[in-house]
Amino acid sequence: MNRKQISLYKKATQNILNTIESLNIDKANKEKAIKFVKLFRASFQLSDIKHTMFVDKPGDVSDLGYDSAGFCKVSSALFSILMGTTDWKLMYIDKKQWNQGSHHFLQHTPTSTIIDLTYDQFQDDANNIIPVPYHLGKQVYNYEISPGEKTRKFATKLGIDIIKALKEQSTKN
């Protein structure tokens, strides 16, 4: 990433953390959400995680682009599972609806607040963030039953036992 993108990435991470801070949720859940945002955003910057998630052939050293690019579904799904699928809905914008492509993000159900862990991946040629049309989003169902191979891979790479997290959520609901 270039200097402007590095600055943008740090600012975007802080914006996400500020949004979590502003939520009217109990202290323990707020601390947990902040911990996961920091963990996920830091992990997006690690080349071994990028290679695990996006490179099929070992040894490929191609530029994997902007750090949060491509992580929207796996990070949003995992965050929702870890925080509770009742309070955190996984949302999706279909690529047919938006010229930037498909996109996943979260909606905190009690407050209707949008939390987008990778909103900063959408940039124009001058590295200005392109606004995401969240109003086009639809809820994704059944991912908590079968979160998908890439989400499981992401969780494993971060040392998170997704099966245990799913079992804990099912006992809470």
Side-chain angles (χ1 to χ4, degrees), residues 31 47 52 55 73 80 109 115 122 128 133 140 149 163 166-167:
E31 288 173 358
S47 60
T52 298
V55 178
K73 183 177 182 179
S80 178
T109 307
I115 302 293
F122 301 108
N128 297 309
V140 176
E149 180 184 344
I163 302 302
L166 286 166
K167 287 179 182 175

Side-chain angles (χ1 to χ4, degrees), residues 52-112:
T52 298
M53 299 305 298
F54 305 119
V55 178
D56 294 328
K57 296 180 285 184
D60 186 352
V61 292
S62 59
D63 177 19
L64 296 171
Y66 188 76
D67 287 341
S68 67
F71 283 101
C72 64
K73 183 177 182 179
V74 297
S75 63
S76 295
L78 184 56
F79 187 94
S80 178
I81 289 165
L82 295 169
M83 292 299 298
T85 58
T86 302
D87 287 345
W88 296 90
K89 291 192 296 190
L90 179 62
M91 304 295 288
Y92 173 75
I93 299 172
D94 190 278
K95 64 183 174 186
K96 296 174 190 166
Q97 297 176 291
W98 189 34
N99 64 356
Q100 296 297 313
S102 61
H103 184 58
H104 289 79
F105 60 95
L106 297 156
Q107 183 176 34
H108 182 245
T109 307
T111 63
S112 297

Side-chain angles (χ1 to χ4, degrees), residues 24-41:
N24 187 22
I25 58 177
D26 65 80
K27 184 179 177 182
N29 277 317
K30 190 174 288 191
E31 288 173 358
K32 188 175 170 184
I34 288 169
K35 176 183 88 169
F36 289 131
V37 168
K38 288 180 177 179
L39 173 65
F40 292 1
R41 294 286 296 182

Side-chain angles (χ1 to χ4, degrees), residues 154-169:
F154 183 61
T156 299
K157 194 70 178 166
L158 295 179
I160 295 169
D161 184 342
I162 196 169
I163 302 302
K164 179 181 175 186
L166 286 166
K167 287 179 182 175
E168 288 173 359
Q169 286 307 320

Side-chain angles (χ1 to χ4, degrees), residues 140-154:
V140 176
Y141 295 97
N142 296 326
Y143 69 93
E144 65 270 13
I145 297 166
S146 179
E149 180 184 344
K150 285 205 176 236
T151 303
R152 290 189 302 270
K153 187 187 285 188
F154 183 61

